[in-house]
Amino acid sequence: MDNIINELMMQMLRQHTKEKWVLLYTERWLKAGVAQEDVSIAARTKGTPQGGIISSLFANLYLHPAFVKWVDESNPQNPFERYADDIVIHCHSKEDAEQLLTKLQNRMQNFELALHPVD
């Protein structure tokens, strides 16, 4: 989840907890710098640490309103499976899939996310 908006992630988390220590450590995790090859630390303004133990939890929190609620409300005829940020959506035809893909791409842009299709 390289592109999640950190402040939006924090807003989503605040809907689930008021625990100050959870919010504090989550914010620290999201803002943690990235070590570069030259040993410098680059600031992080968005995204979660790749391979980080908590990144799957962040993906689930972020994608619940961005994807799950949206697809349940606007496309209930399309069941799906999701694990963190990997999603498979079932469609009845290629035409249905193409229409849903266009709608999904627009929805994800609202959350500054991009889809990466499987090759």
Side-chain angles (χ1 to χ4, degrees):
M1 303 273 305
D2 294 334
N3 293 321
I4 71 163
I5 305 164
N6 289 351
E7 186 50 42
L8 186 54
M9 176 78 248
M10 292 302 298
Q11 289 173 13
M12 292 174 185
L13 183 58
R14 285 184 198 102
Q15 293 175 9
H16 296 281
T17 186
K18 302 294 182 216
E19 292 290 335
K20 290 182 182 189
W21 69 270
V22 171
L23 299 171
L24 173 72
Y25 284 108
T26 298
E27 189 168 28
R28 284 182 181 174
W29 190 283
L30 290 172
K31 290 181 178 180
V34 180
Q36 304 298 303
E37 286 185 25
D38 66 358
V39 198
S40 66
I41 303 293
R44 179 192 315 276
T45 58
K46 63 181 182 175
T48 65
Q50 284 297 322
I53 194 158
I54 199 164
S55 294
S56 293
L57 176 63
F58 289 155
N60 284 322
L61 282 171
Y62 201 81
L63 284 173
H64 189 75
F67 174 77
V68 176
K69 282 186 172 183
W70 174 79
V71 80
D72 282 347
E73 292 169 4
S74 65
N75 298 286
Q77 72 280 7
N78 298 102
F80 64 90
E81 284 79 38
R82 180 172 75 86
Y83 176 76
D85 60 349
D86 295 321
I87 302 169
V88 175
I89 305 171
H90 302 275
C91 298
H92 298 285
S93 67
K94 182 177 180 181
E95 182 180 289
D96 289 342
E98 289 169 349
Q99 289 175 359
L100 182 56
L101 179 60
T102 299
K103 289 192 261 181
L104 181 59
Q105 287 170 328
N106 291 333
R107 175 68 179 181
M108 293 297 104
Q109 284 178 353
N110 292 336
F111 291 85
E112 295 191 20
L113 297 175
L115 302 179
H116 297 280
V118 176
D119 294 331

